[in-house]
Amino acid sequence: MKQQVLTLDAKKSGDIELNDAVFGVDVRADILHRVVNWQLAKRRAGTHAVKFRSDIARTGKKFGNQKGGGGARHGSRRSNIFVGGGRAFGPIPRDHGHDLPKKIRTMGLKSALSSKVAEEKLIIVDNAELAEGKTKALKEKLSKLGVTSALIIDGADVNANFLQAASNIPLIDVLPSQGANVYDILRREVLVLTKAAVEKLEERLS
């Protein structure tokens, strides 16, 4: 399929042919859901923890008499039924990550890219470079493109000035092509790719 290429000043700069096997596949919501869950599970620190009975610094000596106290018989203040006692079945530190087949991850990325094409939320620019890392200058260029919430993906490397200018703009993310992922594509309204990014993504996913 053909897609128009623009400059950062929103001027026409020719056309580019997109690979249908990467940008024109059927959008699978179930695959997108699996991949996003996999990504977010990997991000979890898993450092949540509570104190169990063995971690509580209280006496384990039997308190009170066996009989005649008018209540139940207890042998430790560390029991979970007392205030200040240990938790019975609390969370412990663990890894929340799980495996996902590479084929499914690839299908997810293709689906995410294709969804932006289907929604007409994909913009191709010739390059993403700035002479100076000025946020004001980049804001003006993005306003010409009509972009307020976007993920911008460049080629193998991101222009340092462009990255510096974009770092202060809310809802604008910048990644190299190798960092392209389903979650970041879906969480922004518009996907902006450079010609170099298109080439790298097609090479990676074909």
Side-chain angles (χ1 to χ4, degrees):
M1 74 183 78
K2 273 192 175 182
Q3 181 83 14
Q4 190 178 72
V5 180
L6 304 174
T7 66
L8 284 177
D9 292 313
K11 295 179 181 177
K12 293 182 181 179
S13 183
D15 295 318
I16 189 172
E17 190 72 28
L18 297 180
N19 188 342
D20 287 341
V22 176
F23 293 92
V25 302
D26 292 334
V27 179
R28 293 276 304 271
D30 59 323
I31 297 294
L32 294 175
H33 179 261
R34 287 180 65 183
V35 177
V36 169
N37 275 351
W38 171 74
Q39 280 189 243
L40 295 182
K42 282 181 64 178
R43 290 187 183 189
R44 294 183 65 177
T47 52
H48 43 21
V50 296
K51 288 185 177 182
F52 298 98
R53 286 184 63 158
S54 60
D55 302 316
I56 301 297
R58 300 185 78 178
T59 180
K61 181 183 177 183
K62 177 178 174 66
F63 61 93
N65 296 324
Q66 175 74 0
K67 295 183 178 181
R73 297 162 289 186
H74 297 290
S76 174
R77 282 290 187 185
R78 291 176 293 197
S79 174
N80 60 293
I81 65 173
F82 294 117
V83 173
R87 281 282 297 275
F89 300 105
I92 59 175
R94 67 185 181 90
D95 181 10
H96 289 272
H98 58 270
D99 292 333
L100 191 67
K102 188 175 180 180
K103 182 178 179 181
I104 300 297
R105 303 201 300 265
T106 301
M107 288 174 61
L109 190 51
K110 287 181 180 180
S111 279
L113 294 170
S114 299
S115 71
K116 292 301 182 184
V117 174
E119 296 169 3
E120 297 184 352
K121 297 291 186 181
L122 175 67
I123 297 175
I124 309 291
V125 295
D126 55 356
N127 62 65
E129 297 178 1
L130 293 176
E132 294 182 303
K134 300 290 186 182
T135 300
K136 183 178 179 181
L138 181 56
K139 273 187 172 181
E140 290 174 357
K141 293 180 182 295
L142 293 177
S143 66
K144 290 178 183 177
L145 290 170
V147 170
T148 55
S149 170
L151 171 65
I152 302 168
I153 300 178
D154 205 347
D157 298 304
V158 178
N159 179 262
N161 288 334
F162 191 93
L163 185 61
Q164 182 180 353
S167 63
N168 292 323
I169 306 177
L171 305 181
I172 299 295
D173 300 323
V174 182
L175 291 173
S177 59
Q178 192 61 35
N181 65 86
V182 174
Y183 179 68
D184 284 325
I185 290 173
L186 296 181
R187 70 196 289 259
R188 296 295 177 229
E189 184 180 353
V190 176
L191 176 62
V192 180
L193 300 177
T194 64
K195 291 170 70 175
V198 172
E199 182 182 340
K200 288 291 184 182
L201 287 171
E202 289 183 346
E203 180 183 324
R204 172 180 165 187
L205 299 172
S206 294

